[in-house]
Amino acid sequence: KEVMLLPKGTKEEAAKFELRRGARRVPDYEKVWKGCQFNFEYLGAEEGARRSKVDDAREAGTAEEALALGGRWRISNEKTGGDQAYVNRFRHEPDGSTFSGEVEGWTSITEGRLDGKIISWKNGEFTCKGRVEDKGRTIVDLRVTVTRTGSDVGIFE
C-alpha cells in the first residue's frame, strides 16, 4: 500500500486502503516478498485507522488473531455418543462480525453473528448460541432453542 502511494505517501494515507488477496484481508504487518495479484478497497480515514491499530496490536502480540470460522463444522453431543450430528457450513470473512451458510441437507443459516467470542445463528425454527474457543477451532457451550418459544432443544458442550 505504501508503494502505491509513493513518493509522498504516509502511513496514515496507506491505512485508508485495505489490501485483499483471494477475498481475504491482508493485515498491515504481512510483508509481500514476491509478485502476487491483490485488490484494494478504500476504507476511509476512520475505519482504516481502526483496522491499522488492530494490526499493530496483533503484530505486537497484545491482541488476539482474527477469527476465521468459514468452513465445515460438525455439531454433535458427545455425552450421548455423538450419534446425532449436524454438519453446518459457515461462510465467514476473517475478522467479520456476521456470517451465513447452511445445515447440510436441511436448511439455510440466517442471522449469523460473532460478537467477540460469542457466536449465534438461526437455522429453520432453531436458534443456536455458543462460545468460540481454541483460536476459532472449537465452539463450546452451544445451546439450541426453539426460536418462537425459547425452550431448550439441547446443550452441546
Side-chain angles (χ1 to χ4, degrees), residues 56-128:
D56 290 346
R58 286 181 175 149
E59 184 178 29
T62 58
E64 291 192 30
E65 288 299 314
L67 293 176
L69 303 178
R72 194 170 185 254
W73 290 79
R74 182 180 184 276
I75 298 175
S76 64
N77 191 339
E78 297 302 320
K79 287 188 175 181
T80 62
D83 56 344
Q84 189 175 16
Y86 300 93
V87 177
N88 293 260
R89 287 193 183 272
F90 294 161
R91 286 185 293 280
H92 174 250
E93 172 105 10
D95 226 9
S97 61
T98 62
F99 65 95
S100 61
E102 60 274 335
V103 180
E104 287 184 359
W106 184 38
T107 190
S108 296
I109 291 172
T110 60
E111 299 181 42
R113 305 212 189 308
L114 184 62
D115 183 13
K117 294 204 174 192
I118 302 300
I119 186 171
S120 62
W121 70 92
K122 292 184 179 179
N123 52 4
E125 63 184 279
F126 302 104
T127 299
C128 306

Side-chain angles (χ1 to χ4, degrees), residues 46-58:
E46 188 176 311
E47 181 63 14
R50 186 190 71 75
R51 291 188 188 186
S52 185
K53 185 177 177 181
V54 170
D55 283 346
D56 290 346
R58 286 181 175 149

Side-chain angles (χ1 to χ4, degrees), residues 1-19 27-32 40 52 56 59:
K1 295 188 301 185
E2 291 167 3
V3 170
M4 178 180 80
L5 297 170
L6 288 176
K8 297 179 182 180
T10 65
K11 184 175 180 176
E12 291 76 24
E13 288 172 320
K16 294 177 185 178
F17 295 88
E18 180 171 88
L19 186 63
D28 288 351
Y29 57 83
E30 190 172 306
K31 304 293 183 210
V32 179
F40 288 89
S52 185
D56 290 346
E59 184 178 29

